[in-house]
PDB file of all heavy atoms in Angstrom:
ATOM      1  N   LEU A 214      20.820 -17.770  71.157  1.00  0.00           N
ATOM      2  CA  LEU A 214      21.757 -17.099  72.062  1.00  0.00           C
ATOM      3  C   LEU A 214      22.927 -17.999  72.414  1.00  0.00           C
ATOM      4  O   LEU A 214      24.061 -17.523  72.587  1.00  0.00           O
ATOM      5  CB  LEU A 214      21.037 -16.652  73.346  1.00  0.00           C
ATOM      6  CG  LEU A 214      19.995 -15.530  73.160  1.00  0.00           C
ATOM      7  CD1 LEU A 214      19.358 -15.193  74.507  1.00  0.00           C
ATOM      8  CD2 LEU A 214      20.598 -14.278  72.521  1.00  0.00           C
ATOM      9  N   SER A 215      22.677 -19.300  72.532  1.00  0.00           N
ATOM     10  CA  SER A 215      23.767 -20.240  72.834  1.00  0.00           C
ATOM     11  C   SER A 215      24.794 -20.235  71.733  1.00  0.00           C
ATOM     12  O   SER A 215      26.014 -20.275  71.960  1.00  0.00           O
ATOM     13  CB  SER A 215      23.203 -21.648  73.032  1.00  0.00           C
ATOM     14  OG  SER A 215      22.345 -21.686  74.127  1.00  0.00           O
ATOM     15  N   MET A 216      24.307 -20.202  70.472  1.00  0.00           N
ATOM     16  CA  MET A 216      25.214 -20.162  69.315  1.00  0.00           C
ATOM     17  C   MET A 216      26.003 -18.865  69.280  1.00  0.00           C
ATOM     18  O   MET A 216      27.214 -18.857  69.007  1.00  0.00           O
ATOM     19  CB  MET A 216      24.458 -20.376  68.009  1.00  0.00           C
ATOM     20  CG  MET A 216      24.026 -21.807  67.767  1.00  0.00           C
ATOM     21  SD  MET A 216      23.284 -22.021  66.130  1.00  0.00           S
ATOM     22  CE  MET A 216      21.706 -21.237  66.384  1.00  0.00           C
ATOM     23  N   LEU A 217      25.339 -17.753  69.512  1.00  0.00           N
ATOM     24  CA  LEU A 217      26.046 -16.474  69.511  1.00  0.00           C
ATOM     25  C   LEU A 217      27.112 -16.447  70.602  1.00  0.00           C
ATOM     26  O   LEU A 217      28.228 -15.973  70.369  1.00  0.00           O
ATOM     27  CB  LEU A 217      25.058 -15.331  69.707  1.00  0.00           C
ATOM     28  CG  LEU A 217      24.011 -15.091  68.623  1.00  0.00           C
ATOM     29  CD1 LEU A 217      23.125 -13.910  68.988  1.00  0.00           C
ATOM     30  CD2 LEU A 217      24.653 -14.883  67.272  1.00  0.00           C
ATOM     31  N   ASP A 218      26.764 -16.957  71.773  1.00  0.00           N
ATOM     32  CA  ASP A 218      27.726 -16.980  72.873  1.00  0.00           C
ATOM     33  C   ASP A 218      28.945 -17.823  72.524  1.00  0.00           C
ATOM     34  O   ASP A 218      30.087 -17.415  72.771  1.00  0.00           O
ATOM     35  CB  ASP A 218      27.064 -17.508  74.152  1.00  0.00           C
ATOM     36  CG  ASP A 218      26.079 -16.534  74.760  1.00  0.00           C
ATOM     37  OD1 ASP A 218      26.133 -15.337  74.414  1.00  0.00           O
ATOM     38  OD2 ASP A 218      25.215 -16.983  75.552  1.00  0.00           O
ATOM     39  N   ARG A 219      28.698 -18.986  71.976  1.00  0.00           N
ATOM     40  CA  ARG A 219      29.816 -19.909  71.687  1.00  0.00           C
ATOM     41  C   ARG A 219      30.693 -19.354  70.567  1.00  0.00           C
ATOM     42  O   ARG A 219      31.918 -19.378  70.679  1.00  0.00           O
ATOM     43  CB  ARG A 219      29.229 -21.280  71.310  1.00  0.00           C
ATOM     44  CG  ARG A 219      30.248 -22.382  71.251  1.00  0.00           C
ATOM     45  CD  ARG A 219      29.603 -23.732  71.258  1.00  0.00           C
ATOM     46  NE  ARG A 219      28.515 -23.880  70.327  1.00  0.00           N
ATOM     47  CZ  ARG A 219      27.228 -23.906  70.676  1.00  0.00           C
ATOM     48  NH1 ARG A 219      26.880 -23.789  71.957  1.00  0.00           N
ATOM     49  NH2 ARG A 219      26.263 -24.041  69.781  1.00  0.00           N
ATOM     50  N   LEU A 220      30.058 -18.885  69.500  1.00  0.00           N
ATOM     51  CA  LEU A 220      30.842 -18.345  68.392  1.00  0.00           C
ATOM     52  C   LEU A 220      31.526 -17.029  68.800  1.00  0.00           C
ATOM     53  O   LEU A 220      32.656 -16.761  68.413  1.00  0.00           O
ATOM     54  CB  LEU A 220      29.926 -18.110  67.185  1.00  0.00           C
ATOM     55  CG  LEU A 220      29.401 -19.362  66.483  1.00  0.00           C
ATOM     56  CD1 LEU A 220      28.313 -19.008  65.493  1.00  0.00           C
ATOM     57  CD2 LEU A 220      30.528 -20.116  65.805  1.00  0.00           C
ATOM     58  N   GLY A 221      30.815 -16.233  69.616  1.00  0.00           N
ATOM     59  CA  GLY A 221      31.407 -14.997  70.082  1.00  0.00           C
ATOM     60  C   GLY A 221      32.642 -15.214  70.926  1.00  0.00           C
ATOM     61  O   GLY A 221      33.622 -14.474  70.819  1.00  0.00           O
ATOM     62  N   ALA A 222      32.613 -16.267  71.739  1.00  0.00           N
ATOM     63  CA  ALA A 222      33.771 -16.596  72.563  1.00  0.00           C
ATOM     64  C   ALA A 222      34.945 -17.040  71.719  1.00  0.00           C
ATOM     65  O   ALA A 222      36.107 -16.988  72.174  1.00  0.00           O
ATOM     66  CB  ALA A 222      33.401 -17.678  73.571  1.00  0.00           C
ATOM     67  N   SER A 223      34.668 -17.493  70.495  1.00  0.00           N
ATOM     68  CA  SER A 223      35.725 -17.937  69.584  1.00  0.00           C
ATOM     69  C   SER A 223      36.225 -16.804  68.682  1.00  0.00           C
ATOM     70  O   SER A 223      36.969 -17.060  67.733  1.00  0.00           O
ATOM     71  CB  SER A 223      35.208 -19.095  68.722  1.00  0.00           C
ATOM     72  OG  SER A 223      34.886 -20.200  69.538  1.00  0.00           O
ATOM     73  N   GLY A 224      35.753 -15.575  68.925  1.00  0.00           N
ATOM     74  CA  GLY A 224      36.222 -14.430  68.176  1.00  0.00           C
ATOM     75  C   GLY A 224      35.350 -13.993  67.026  1.00  0.00           C
ATOM     76  O   GLY A 224      35.724 -13.098  66.267  1.00  0.00           O
ATOM     77  N   ILE A 225      34.192 -14.632  66.845  1.00  0.00           N
ATOM     78  CA  ILE A 225      33.277 -14.240  65.774  1.00  0.00           C
ATOM     79  C   ILE A 225      32.428 -13.064  66.236  1.00  0.00           C
ATOM     80  O   ILE A 225      31.943 -13.061  67.392  1.00  0.00           O
ATOM     81  CB  ILE A 225      32.366 -15.422  65.354  1.00  0.00           C
ATOM     82  CG1 ILE A 225      33.233 -16.638  64.989  1.00  0.00           C
ATOM     83  CG2 ILE A 225      31.487 -15.014  64.181  1.00  0.00           C
ATOM     84  CD1 ILE A 225      34.237 -16.376  63.848  1.00  0.00           C
ATOM     85  N   ARG A 226      32.211 -12.098  65.371  1.00  0.00           N
ATOM     86  CA  ARG A 226      31.411 -10.946  65.662  1.00  0.00           C
ATOM     87  C   ARG A 226      30.175 -10.930  64.783  1.00  0.00           C
ATOM     88  O   ARG A 226      30.151 -11.555  63.718  1.00  0.00           O
ATOM     89  CB  ARG A 226      32.204  -9.639  65.470  1.00  0.00           C
ATOM     90  CG  ARG A 226      33.469  -9.598  66.360  1.00  0.00           C
ATOM     91  CD  ARG A 226      33.111  -9.560  67.818  1.00  0.00           C
ATOM     92  NE  ARG A 226      34.257  -9.528  68.713  1.00  0.00           N
ATOM     93  CZ  ARG A 226      34.708 -10.577  69.385  1.00  0.00           C
ATOM     94  NH1 ARG A 226      34.124 -11.783  69.247  1.00  0.00           N
ATOM     95  NH2 ARG A 226      35.737 -10.458  70.213  1.00  0.00           N
ATOM     96  N   PHE A 227      29.127 -10.191  65.215  1.00  0.00           N
ATOM     97  CA  PHE A 227      27.827 -10.265  64.534  1.00  0.00           C
ATOM     98  C   PHE A 227      27.200  -8.893  64.331  1.00  0.00           C
ATOM     99  O   PHE A 227      27.251  -8.040  65.197  1.00  0.00           O
ATOM    100  CB  PHE A 227      26.858 -11.104  65.385  1.00  0.00           C
ATOM    101  CG  PHE A 227      27.362 -12.476  65.750  1.00  0.00           C
ATOM    102  CD1 PHE A 227      27.993 -12.670  66.949  1.00  0.00           C
ATOM    103  CD2 PHE A 227      27.207 -13.544  64.872  1.00  0.00           C
ATOM    104  CE1 PHE A 227      28.468 -13.925  67.301  1.00  0.00           C
ATOM    105  CE2 PHE A 227      27.679 -14.777  65.203  1.00  0.00           C
ATOM    106  CZ  PHE A 227      28.296 -14.979  66.414  1.00  0.00           C
ATOM    107  N   HIS A 228      26.608  -8.702  63.152  1.00  0.00           N
ATOM    108  CA  HIS A 228      25.629  -7.675  62.923  1.00  0.00           C
ATOM    109  C   HIS A 228      24.292  -8.377  62.858  1.00  0.00           C
ATOM    110  O   HIS A 228      24.123  -9.322  62.084  1.00  0.00           O
ATOM    111  CB  HIS A 228      25.899  -6.926  61.591  1.00  0.00           C
ATOM    112  CG  HIS A 228      27.147  -6.118  61.618  1.00  0.00           C
ATOM    113  ND1 HIS A 228      27.259  -4.928  62.320  1.00  0.00           N
ATOM    114  CD2 HIS A 228      28.366  -6.318  61.038  1.00  0.00           C
ATOM    115  CE1 HIS A 228      28.469  -4.414  62.149  1.00  0.00           C
ATOM    116  NE2 HIS A 228      29.169  -5.244  61.390  1.00  0.00           N
ATOM    117  N   THR A 229      23.326  -7.959  63.674  1.00  0.00           N
ATOM    118  CA  THR A 229      22.085  -8.706  63.818  1.00  0.00           C
ATOM    119  C   THR A 229      20.883  -7.860  63.355  1.00  0.00           C
ATOM    120  O   THR A 229      20.947  -6.636  63.324  1.00  0.00           O
ATOM    121  CB  THR A 229      21.873  -9.154  65.272  1.00  0.00           C
ATOM    122  OG1 THR A 229      21.783  -7.997  66.097  1.00  0.00           O
ATOM    123  CG2 THR A 229      23.004 -10.027  65.733  1.00  0.00           C
ATOM    124  N   GLN A 230      19.808  -8.575  63.027  1.00  0.00           N
ATOM    125  CA  GLN A 230      18.605  -7.912  62.559  1.00  0.00           C
ATOM    126  C   GLN A 230      17.383  -8.522  63.225  1.00  0.00           C
ATOM    127  O   GLN A 230      17.331  -9.730  63.478  1.00  0.00           O
ATOM    128  CB  GLN A 230      18.460  -8.040  61.040  1.00  0.00           C
ATOM    129  CG  GLN A 230      17.232  -7.337  60.466  1.00  0.00           C
ATOM    130  CD  GLN A 230      16.962  -7.727  59.029  1.00  0.00           C
ATOM    131  OE1 GLN A 230      16.907  -8.907  58.704  1.00  0.00           O
ATOM    132  NE2 GLN A 230      16.836  -6.733  58.164  1.00  0.00           N
ATOM    133  N   ILE A 231      16.410  -7.683  63.502  1.00  0.00           N
ATOM    134  CA  ILE A 231      15.097  -8.113  64.016  1.00  0.00           C
ATOM    135  C   ILE A 231      14.035  -7.566  63.077  1.00  0.00           C
ATOM    136  O   ILE A 231      13.910  -6.355  62.912  1.00  0.00           O
ATOM    137  CB  ILE A 231      14.839  -7.595  65.443  1.00  0.00           C
ATOM    138  CG1 ILE A 231      15.920  -8.111  66.396  1.00  0.00           C
ATOM    139  CG2 ILE A 231      13.460  -8.012  65.916  1.00  0.00           C
ATOM    140  CD1 ILE A 231      15.894  -7.443  67.744  1.00  0.00           C
ATOM    141  N   VAL A 232      13.308  -8.454  62.425  1.00  0.00           N
ATOM    142  CA  VAL A 232      12.160  -8.045  61.615  1.00  0.00           C
ATOM    143  C   VAL A 232      10.930  -8.142  62.516  1.00  0.00           C
ATOM    144  O   VAL A 232      10.566  -9.238  62.957  1.00  0.00           O
ATOM    145  CB  VAL A 232      11.982  -8.929  60.361  1.00  0.00           C
ATOM    146  CG1 VAL A 232      10.733  -8.525  59.601  1.00  0.00           C
ATOM    147  CG2 VAL A 232      13.198  -8.816  59.466  1.00  0.00           C
ATOM    148  N   VAL A 233      10.282  -7.021  62.791  1.00  0.00           N
ATOM    149  CA  VAL A 233       9.174  -7.002  63.714  1.00  0.00           C
ATOM    150  C   VAL A 233       7.890  -7.449  63.009  1.00  0.00           C
ATOM    151  O   VAL A 233       7.471  -6.844  62.018  1.00  0.00           O
ATOM    152  CB  VAL A 233       8.955  -5.600  64.318  1.00  0.00           C
ATOM    153  CG1 VAL A 233       7.715  -5.566  65.210  1.00  0.00           C
ATOM    154  CG2 VAL A 233      10.211  -5.177  65.104  1.00  0.00           C
ATOM    155  N   VAL A 234       7.287  -8.507  63.512  1.00  0.00           N
ATOM    156  CA  VAL A 234       6.035  -9.040  63.007  1.00  0.00           C
ATOM    157  C   VAL A 234       4.989  -8.880  64.120  1.00  0.00           C
ATOM    158  O   VAL A 234       5.046  -9.598  65.139  1.00  0.00           O
ATOM    159  CB  VAL A 234       6.150 -10.527  62.621  1.00  0.00           C
ATOM    160  CG1 VAL A 234       4.833 -11.022  62.012  1.00  0.00           C
ATOM    161  CG2 VAL A 234       7.315 -10.719  61.657  1.00  0.00           C
ATOM    162  N   PRO A 235       4.081  -7.943  64.002  1.00  0.00           N
ATOM    163  CA  PRO A 235       3.081  -7.710  65.051  1.00  0.00           C
ATOM    164  C   PRO A 235       2.365  -9.004  65.432  1.00  0.00           C
ATOM    165  O   PRO A 235       1.923  -9.773  64.587  1.00  0.00           O
ATOM    166  CB  PRO A 235       2.125  -6.704  64.422  1.00  0.00           C
ATOM    167  CG  PRO A 235       2.980  -5.926  63.480  1.00  0.00           C
ATOM    168  CD  PRO A 235       3.915  -6.939  62.908  1.00  0.00           C
ATOM    169  N   GLY A 236       2.223  -9.200  66.744  1.00  0.00           N
ATOM    170  CA  GLY A 236       1.579 -10.408  67.261  1.00  0.00           C
ATOM    171  C   GLY A 236       2.518 -11.574  67.470  1.00  0.00           C
ATOM    172  O   GLY A 236       2.141 -12.589  68.036  1.00  0.00           O
ATOM    173  N   TYR A 237       3.773 -11.418  66.998  1.00  0.00           N
ATOM    174  CA  TYR A 237       4.761 -12.471  67.117  1.00  0.00           C
ATOM    175  C   TYR A 237       5.936 -12.047  68.014  1.00  0.00           C
ATOM    176  O   TYR A 237       6.187 -12.635  69.054  1.00  0.00           O
ATOM    177  CB  TYR A 237       5.272 -12.897  65.750  1.00  0.00           C
ATOM    178  CG  TYR A 237       4.323 -13.733  64.947  1.00  0.00           C
ATOM    179  CD1 TYR A 237       3.196 -13.143  64.332  1.00  0.00           C
ATOM    180  CD2 TYR A 237       4.522 -15.102  64.752  1.00  0.00           C
ATOM    181  CE1 TYR A 237       2.317 -13.880  63.585  1.00  0.00           C
ATOM    182  CE2 TYR A 237       3.633 -15.865  63.990  1.00  0.00           C
ATOM    183  CZ  TYR A 237       2.524 -15.252  63.418  1.00  0.00           C
ATOM    184  OH  TYR A 237       1.646 -16.003  62.689  1.00  0.00           O
ATOM    185  N   ASN A 238       6.663 -11.058  67.575  1.00  0.00           N
ATOM    186  CA  ASN A 238       7.889 -10.699  68.277  1.00  0.00           C
ATOM    187  C   ASN A 238       7.955  -9.212  68.612  1.00  0.00           C
ATOM    188  O   ASN A 238       9.025  -8.619  68.635  1.00  0.00           O
ATOM    189  CB  ASN A 238       9.125 -11.103  67.470  1.00  0.00           C
ATOM    190  CG  ASN A 238       9.213 -10.376  66.136  1.00  0.00           C
ATOM    191  OD1 ASN A 238       8.220  -9.847  65.636  1.00  0.00           O
ATOM    192  ND2 ASN A 238      10.402 -10.367  65.545  1.00  0.00           N
ATOM    193  N   ASP A 239       6.798  -8.612  68.810  1.00  0.00           N
ATOM    194  CA  ASP A 239       6.769  -7.179  69.170  1.00  0.00           C
ATOM    195  C   ASP A 239       6.624  -7.033  70.696  1.00  0.00           C
ATOM    196  O   ASP A 239       6.718  -8.027  71.419  1.00  0.00           O
ATOM    197  CB  ASP A 239       5.626  -6.465  68.447  1.00  0.00           C
ATOM    198  CG  ASP A 239       4.272  -7.187  68.627  1.00  0.00           C
ATOM    199  OD1 ASP A 239       4.260  -8.328  69.115  1.00  0.00           O
ATOM    200  OD2 ASP A 239       3.211  -6.597  68.294  1.00  0.00           O
ATOM    201  N   GLY A 240       6.418  -5.838  71.167  1.00  0.00           N
ATOM    202  CA  GLY A 240       6.162  -5.590  72.566  1.00  0.00           C
ATOM    203  C   GLY A 240       7.238  -6.121  73.498  1.00  0.00           C
ATOM    204  O   GLY A 240       8.430  -5.859  73.305  1.00  0.00           O
ATOM    205  N   LYS A 241       6.824  -6.855  74.501  1.00  0.00           N
ATOM    206  CA  LYS A 241       7.748  -7.362  75.516  1.00  0.00           C
ATOM    207  C   LYS A 241       8.756  -8.354  74.926  1.00  0.00           C
ATOM    208  O   LYS A 241       9.891  -8.447  75.384  1.00  0.00           O
ATOM    209  CB  LYS A 241       6.986  -8.018  76.668  1.00  0.00           C
ATOM    210  CG  LYS A 241       6.179  -7.024  77.480  1.00  0.00           C
ATOM    211  CD  LYS A 241       5.481  -7.711  78.657  1.00  0.00           C
ATOM    212  CE  LYS A 241       4.709  -6.703  79.508  1.00  0.00           C
ATOM    213  NZ  LYS A 241       4.013  -7.384  80.650  1.00  0.00           N
ATOM    214  N   VAL A 242       8.335  -9.094  73.891  1.00  0.00           N
ATOM    215  CA  VAL A 242       9.251 -10.023  73.230  1.00  0.00           C
ATOM    216  C   VAL A 242      10.376  -9.257  72.564  1.00  0.00           C
ATOM    217  O   VAL A 242      11.570  -9.634  72.659  1.00  0.00           O
ATOM    218  CB  VAL A 242       8.523 -10.906  72.206  1.00  0.00           C
ATOM    219  CG1 VAL A 242       9.499 -11.799  71.449  1.00  0.00           C
ATOM    220  CG2 VAL A 242       7.454 -11.768  72.890  1.00  0.00           C
TER     221      VAL A 242
END
Side-chain angles (χ1 to χ4, degrees):
L214 293 180
S215 297
M216 283 187 287
L217 295 180
D218 288 342
R219 191 164 48 254
L220 290 169
S223 298
I225 305 302
R226 302 295 179 258
F227 306 94
H228 292 287
T229 62
Q230 182 192 51
I231 300 168
V232 176
V233 177
V234 183
Y237 285 75
N238 63 341
D239 52 348
K241 292 183 178 180
V242 175

